[in-house]
Amino acid sequence: MASLLPIIDDILPMILPSSVSVTKSIDIIPPIPPVIQTADGGTHRVRVYSRDAVVNKLDKVCSTVLILSPTSYSTIRHYGEQDAIIYVALGSGVLLTASKDEEEGEPERHELSQGDFAAVPAWTEHQVLNESAEQDTHWVIIRSGSHPVEVHLKGWGRGKAEYPPSRA
């Protein structure tokens, strides 16, 4: 059996062809922040938005980019059964995670700077903040699944939100 392993390594790439998929930053991060039309006919700059980077390209992993404008924050959320790695690609921010001490109730605060990583286990409630008054924060989120799962919550330790934000 051991003698077959080198042969299998040579044959597998021929049996299971694959192709590389490239997503350019211009396709993820628009040159100007998105603007939406308000009910009164005015416009409003979107302060938090998510873009697919690598989705439905691989069986076991996907990636999105979450962009937070200055002094903005995401919803409280978890990624279901998906583990995640969060990378700060631009700016700095705060990752809040559900407190391990249910009595205390205050979320744990993790300060992250450009280039930092955080590992977020499946089902972990969390929220990201951009406390800077001047610079956007770009969070690259890599998850264990071919497409992202996001469950937006009403608050810490609460149920799923009735109307989760749509993905821009």
Side-chain angles (χ1 to χ4, degrees), residues 56-77:
N56 293 323
K57 304 288 184 189
L58 302 168
D59 292 337
K60 298 178 183 169
V61 69
C62 67
S63 178
T64 57
V65 177
L66 181 64
I67 301 167
L68 276 68
S69 298
T71 64
S72 62
Y73 52 90
S74 72
T75 58
I76 298 169
R77 60 185 66 193

Side-chain angles (χ1 to χ4, degrees), residues 1 6 8 10 23 27 37 42 50 62 73 80 90 98 114 121 126 129 131 137 141 149 151 158 164:
M1 182 65 162
I8 292 173
D10 291 336
T23 305
D27 297 327
Q37 196 78 21
S50 179
C62 67
Y73 52 90
L90 179 69
Q114 186 168 323
H126 65 281
L129 317 172
E131 295 179 329
T137 303
I141 304 166
V149 171
V151 179
R158 296 193 181 157

Side-chain angles (χ1 to χ4, degrees), residues 22-32 49 51-52 65 67:
V22 174
T23 305
K24 296 287 193 174
S25 64
I26 192 71
D27 297 327
I28 301 170
I29 303 166
I32 57 171
Y49 53 101
R51 295 280 195 253
D52 290 344
V65 177
I67 301 167

Side-chain angles (χ1 to χ4, degrees), residues 2-166:
S3 62
L4 291 177
L5 289 178
I7 297 171
I8 292 173
D9 285 342
D10 291 336
I11 295 174
L12 272 180
M14 292 184 276
I15 298 171
L16 302 170
S18 60
S19 61
V20 172
S21 174
V22 174
T23 305
K24 296 287 193 174
S25 64
I26 192 71
D27 297 327
I28 301 170
I29 303 166
I32 57 171
V35 175
I36 57 171
Q37 196 78 21
T38 60
D40 63 2
T43 59
H44 175 72
R45 178 179 177 221
V46 177
R47 299 187 43 76
V48 177
Y49 53 101
S50 179
R51 295 280 195 253
D52 290 344
V54 178
V55 172
N56 293 323
K57 304 288 184 189
L58 302 168
D59 292 337
K60 298 178 183 169
V61 69
C62 67
S63 178
T64 57
V65 177
L66 181 64
I67 301 167
L68 276 68
S69 298
T71 64
S72 62
Y73 52 90
S74 72
T75 58
I76 298 169
R77 60 185 66 193
H78 66 71
Y79 298 139
E81 61 188 27
Q82 294 179 334
D83 293 319
I85 295 172
I86 297 177
Y87 172 73
V88 181
L90 179 69
S92 62
V94 176
L95 170 66
L96 298 177
T97 57
S99 174
K100 292 177 186 167
D101 180 6
E102 292 181 23
E103 301 277 328
E104 184 179 312
E106 288 294 315
E108 293 183 30
R109 185 178 174 91
H110 309 275
E111 307 257 346
L112 299 173
S113 298
Q114 186 168 323
D116 291 348
F117 289 85
V120 179
W123 305 105
T124 301
E125 293 181 6
H126 65 281
Q127 180 180 38
V128 291
L129 317 172
N130 180 359
E131 295 179 329
S132 166
E134 300 170 7
Q135 184 177 26
D136 287 355
T137 303
H138 294 193
W139 307 81
V140 176
I141 304 166
I142 302 163
R143 293 175 238 197
S144 59
S146 65
H147 62 280
V149 171
E150 288 184 3
V151 179
H152 300 270
L153 305 171
K154 295 177 186 177
W156 296 104
R158 296 193 181 157
K160 184 177 173 182
E162 289 98 15
Y163 302 104
S166 62

